[in-house]
Amino acid sequence: MRMTKGEQAFQIAAVALIGLLSLSVLYPFVHLLSVSFSTPTEAIRPGFHLYPLHVSLEAYKKTFDSKQIWIGFGNTAFRTVAGSLLSLFFMAITAYPLSKPDLPHRSLYTMVFVFTMFFQGGLIPTYLLVKNIGLLDSRWVFILAPPFLISTFSLLIMRNFFMSLPSELEDAAKIDGAGDLRVLFSVIMPLSKPILATLGLWAAVAHWNSWFDGMLYIQDSSKMLLQTYLRRLIVENRDQDVQALLDQTMGAQDVIPETVKASTLIVTIVPIIIVYPFLQKYFVKGVLVGSLKG
């Protein structure tokens, strides 16, 4: 069917609006990428940097020469991988029984989880809880402390996805002698790749981008997160390793603090962007299917 003039005008306006929004999102990344590869003279030029006129890799050399970058990268990678996998595991074993209509008091249990979405203990009680259970200055605080181990919103989406799966598959497995755990890990989980990829991506992005809990719970510099280091580099400039790096760059003629900060930002962004294309094919399907049935 041919579109009317009104529909054509709407399509053009929608594409133009989405294009402008996309450009507004891409602008800071393009600018940072250009500055990170620029010479000092080009980097301090006012205005938008679309591409470097003179390419220089010195800022990236200074960035990768920083010991704290590699320490933060390792801690953040451990947190992201271990935290995402454990989060999916605990959400799966929690969401599966909640998806069963014959579970006694299922609505009550669900409401208990939903309650935590609107009412939480707050910063000080959470800090005291972490302190009393001995997780201060421990890498496991990023994984076990609230709210990363189980996200209520993700838990409900996973529960709804499990509810949408045919119950006949579970009945057939139980007739063959499988128990509930065997059904979950041998039947349900292989069919749940879309929702696992979607929620795993959400958890990984949340873990990778988190910095506040690293600043709050960690004092040992050997356990510092990459994002916490990045914040000190960009905002505070008070960490000794960061200040030494900045002093070194200030004394050199081939780099300036602006190019080093830009290169550090790019280094922290690229890993999580690389992961996304491998999960994209599951992303939309997982969100839509997991949100249909409640």
Side-chain angles (χ1 to χ4, degrees):
M1 296 178 60
R2 296 185 60 183
M3 292 189 297
T4 63
K5 292 184 178 181
E7 291 173 337
Q8 292 177 354
F10 175 79
Q11 292 286 345
I12 294 174
V15 171
L17 178 60
I18 294 175
L20 291 174
L21 291 175
S22 300
L23 289 175
S24 67
V25 173
L26 290 174
Y27 163 75
F29 296 103
V30 175
H31 178 80
L32 278 176
L33 190 62
S34 177
V35 171
S36 67
F37 283 105
S38 297
T39 59
T41 304
E42 176 64 20
I44 61 176
R45 175 179 58 84
F48 174 64
H49 293 244
L50 183 60
Y51 58 89
L53 298 178
H54 302 90
V55 177
S56 174
L57 299 178
E58 293 300 322
Y60 286 94
K61 293 180 181 179
K62 297 293 183 182
T63 298
F64 289 117
D65 284 343
S66 173
K67 179 182 177 181
Q68 195 62 50
I69 279 284
W70 295 106
I71 293 176
F73 196 94
N75 291 330
T76 302
F78 167 78
R79 171 186 182 163
T80 302
V81 175
S84 300
L85 293 177
L86 287 176
S87 178
L88 289 176
F89 173 78
F90 282 102
M91 285 194 295
I93 63 176
T94 306
Y96 181 65
L98 290 177
S99 67
K100 300 302 162 193
D102 56 348
L103 176 68
H105 311 294
R106 185 182 70 154
S107 299
L108 176 62
Y109 298 146
T110 302
M111 288 304 302
V112 170
F113 282 101
V114 173
F115 181 85
T116 63
M117 294 178 62
F118 304 100
F119 303 96
Q120 301 178 6
L123 179 61
I124 296 178
T126 302
Y127 180 86
L128 293 177
L129 172 64
V130 170
K131 179 181 179 181
N132 291 334
I133 61 179
L135 287 179
L136 285 182
D137 248 1
S138 170
R139 292 182 178 90
W140 290 101
V141 70
F142 305 129
I143 300 172
L144 302 179
F148 288 105
L149 188 60
I150 292 182
S151 167
T152 304
F153 180 74
S154 299
L155 173 67
L156 295 178
I157 292 180
M158 185 177 289
R159 184 203 70 148
N160 294 345
F161 185 90
F162 289 164
M163 293 172 64
S164 68
L165 297 177
S167 59
E168 292 79 8
L169 296 174
E170 300 181 45
D171 296 336
K174 290 183 178 180
I175 290 175
D176 292 337
D180 289 329
L181 289 177
R182 182 66 180 273
V183 171
L184 173 61
F185 291 105
S186 299
V187 179
I188 301 300
M189 297 297 280
L191 297 174
S192 303
K193 291 181 180 179
I195 200 65
L196 292 176
T198 301
L199 300 183
L201 179 62
W202 290 356
V205 171
H207 278 293
W208 186 269
N209 289 335
S210 181
W211 62 270
F212 182 70
D213 50 355
M215 183 185 69
L216 189 65
Y217 301 130
I218 298 298
Q219 300 296 326
D220 188 353
S221 60
S222 65
K223 301 174 183 176
M224 184 184 298
L225 296 175
L226 183 61
Q227 302 298 340
T228 305
Y229 170 77
L230 179 63
R231 183 181 185 276
R232 292 187 175 186
L233 176 66
I234 302 299
V235 179
E236 299 178 11
N237 294 338
R238 70 183 184 186
D239 182 77
Q240 293 181 357
D241 293 336
V242 176
Q243 193 61 50
L245 175 62
L246 288 178
D247 291 340
Q248 181 182 1
T249 60
M250 288 178 183
Q253 297 180 354
D254 50 359
V255 290
I256 57 175
E258 285 72 16
T259 57
V260 175
K261 292 178 182 180
S263 63
T264 307
L265 283 166
I266 295 298
V267 168
T268 61
I269 293 171
V270 167
I272 201 66
I273 293 179
I274 294 176
V275 174
Y276 181 79
F278 297 98
L279 303 177
Q280 184 179 10
K281 62 181 179 179
Y282 301 110
F283 189 79
V284 175
K285 182 179 178 182
V287 173
L288 292 179
V289 176
S291 62
L292 291 179
K293 189 172 181 181

